[in-house]
Amino acid sequence: MRRSTAAAVGTLTGAALIVGVRLSVQPPAAPVAAPPAVDLAGGTPAPKPSASGNKSGKSPAKTQAPKTGLKDGVFKGKGATNPYGTVQVSIRIENGEITGADATYPTTADSATINPPAVAALKQETLGAKTAKDVAAVSGATYTSKSYAESLQAALDAAKA
Amino acid sequence: MGTTVSIELTPDRPDDELRALIADVCGWLHEVDARFSTYKADSEVCRFRRKEITHADLSPDMRHVLDACADLWRDTDGYFDAYATGPLDPSGYVKGWSVEVASARLLAKGSNSHYINAGGDIRMRGHHPDGGPWRVGIRHPWEADKVSWVLALTDGAVATSGTYERGDHVVNPRTGKPAQGLRSVTVVGPDLALADAYATAALAMGEPGIAWLAKRALDGYDSAVVTDDGRAFSSANLPAAV
């Protein structure tokens, strides 16, 4: 009889410990999959604790600096680059506590296996080669004055001058 | 900026006034060169590089440029990188931005039909002097005297980046190695600075850049791409002329 009671207490204690551990390591609103980017700055602030019950002025909650040392506001982390792209994390602090967290995720095609592309790729077509008649300007990779001199645009300019 | 700028205005006023408009644009572009050049030791960029001035001393234009470069670094997953070669070099944004500003200055002075072509990157408004849209050729990536697409635009920007011009000098900032896979990337959209930055970033990405560009179409930036092996791709709403 005594033995079985002790065993039950032991089990309960163990369970309580496990619950405690899980609560203490749970991150605030940790994103588990790639969510759409959320602008924390535009979000609705969490309801603030009411100050109406503290009219005596004895409660220092409103004036004292938060124990955590965190300033209120939305803060963005420096982007971290991994093989799949750049991830930037934002957090929102209210009353010295983290009340929201979000991250932007890479959208490049090399991360397509992780984040499925939202739209189809550009459609393939036949590469054309037309003479540049009836064009007013030419777009091209002309980086230097020398390459400009050799470009279709230079020829157009000469023709108009 | 080491490039040549072509300006065409629809002749909607006397010749001397047209020349004054062009002089205003040239003055602005030379001012930008003096302030943002990485080659001129007394430019704001070089003084900021040498820490002679702090962030608090920066001009509003310089702050805008730095903020835009930071946004682009994030939006391109780091493939547009003003620090790719080491010290700050915002030229990849400044060129397109300066032309955007120049076009807006022309518009403010009543010139609502013009184009400005800065080294192959073009901002245009209104109509060709004959009344139709501006027809813009995209240079063929192997045949310098041919075009691979012709676009028809009344208001917007066209920017092209290509490895045919700089060869292996286009670097993938993620690996530090020469970009491979794409030979020519053209981006069409409302803002030349962004179109230019997107084209440069996609070129650095290589072939994955095609799918990345497809997503930019959702924001109004269409594109046309040629791969190293001669395949051509274009987005559904590319304003190709018939």
Side-chain angles (χ1 to χ4, degrees), chain B residues 36-117:
Chain B
F36 292 91
S37 171
T38 56
Y39 297 100
K40 295 182 176 171
D42 60 343
S43 75
E44 191 172 358
V45 167
C46 287
R47 290 167 62 216
F48 186 58
R49 275 180 169 184
R50 293 192 303 266
K51 298 186 169 62
E52 289 172 17
I53 50 175
T54 68
H55 199 271
D57 304 321
L58 297 179
S59 66
D61 283 343
M62 180 75 165
R63 284 168 197 259
H64 165 77
V65 165
L66 290 180
D67 286 349
C69 286
D71 287 346
L72 279 164
W73 180 82
R74 192 178 63 242
D75 294 346
T76 62
D77 288 355
Y79 281 98
F80 178 93
D81 189 350
Y83 298 88
T85 53
L88 170 69
D89 182 359
S91 309
Y93 181 82
V94 167
K95 186 170 93 166
W97 166 77
S98 65
V99 172
E100 275 293 323
V101 173
S103 175
R105 284 168 75 124
L106 286 177
L107 182 65
K109 290 172 187 284
S111 169
N112 49 22
S113 281
H114 59 256
Y115 82 71
I116 303 172
N117 184 349

Side-chain angles (χ1 to χ4, degrees), chain B residues 144-220:
Chain B
D145 61 334
K146 298 279 201 310
V147 295
S148 39
W149 283 275
V150 176
L151 310 178
L153 287 151
T154 53
D155 194 356
V158 182
T160 299
S161 293
T163 53
Y164 55 80
E165 177 67 30
R166 289 196 289 186
D168 284 349
H169 293 292
V170 179
V171 169
N172 176 343
R174 196 76 68 74
T175 62
K177 292 175 182 158
Q180 287 182 325
L182 303 183
R183 184 146 173 102
S184 172
V185 176
T186 298
V187 177
V188 184
D191 185 295
L192 182 60
L194 295 187
D196 192 11
Y198 291 163
T200 307
L203 196 73
M205 286 177 197
E207 206 156 323
I210 297 173
W212 184 83
L213 285 169
K215 293 185 199 109
R216 305 286 76 73
L218 300 172
D219 305 324

Side-chain angles (χ1 to χ4, degrees), chain A residues 28-89:
Chain A
V32 290
V38 173
D39 187 4
L40 289 171
T44 318
K48 288 175 183 170
S50 168
S52 59
N54 298 326
K55 279 178 185 169
S56 63
K58 280 185 180 174
S59 168
K62 283 189 79 180
T63 50
Q64 203 173 53
K67 286 175 193 165
T68 56
L70 298 174
K71 282 187 280 187
D72 286 4
V74 174
F75 300 89
K76 287 181 176 176
K78 189 168 182 269
T81 301
N82 63 33
Y84 303 107
T86 305
V87 178
Q88 188 183 36
V89 175

Side-chain angles (χ1 to χ4, degrees), chain A residues 79 81-83 85-86 88 106-110 117-125 127-132 134-145 147-148 152-153 157 160, chain B residues 2 4 6 8 73-74 77 79 115 117 119-120 122 128 134-140 144 146-149 158 160 162 164-166 174 208 211-212 214-215 223 226 231-235:
Chain A
T81 301
N82 63 33
T86 305
Q88 188 183 36
T107 52
T108 52
D110 52 359
V119 289
L122 312 185
K123 68 179 193 297
Q124 192 168 349
E125 58 179 89
L127 178 61
K130 305 168 187 132
T131 53
D134 295 338
V135 300
V138 177
S139 179
T142 49
Y143 289 99
T144 63
S145 300
S147 62
Y148 163 78
L152 272 172
Q153 181 69 44
D157 293 344
K160 288 174 200 163
Chain B
T4 305
S6 308
E8 184 169 345
W73 180 82
R74 192 178 63 242
D77 288 355
Y79 281 98
Y115 82 71
N117 184 349
I122 307 165
H128 186 273
W134 294 106
R135 290 169 59 86
V136 177
I138 299 174
R139 206 207 96 154
H140 192 286
K146 298 279 201 310
V147 295
S148 39
W149 283 275
V158 182
T160 299
Y164 55 80
E165 177 67 30
R166 289 196 289 186
R174 196 76 68 74
W212 184 83
K215 293 185 199 109
S223 40
V226 181
R231 286 169 294 138
F233 295 84
S234 68
S235 62

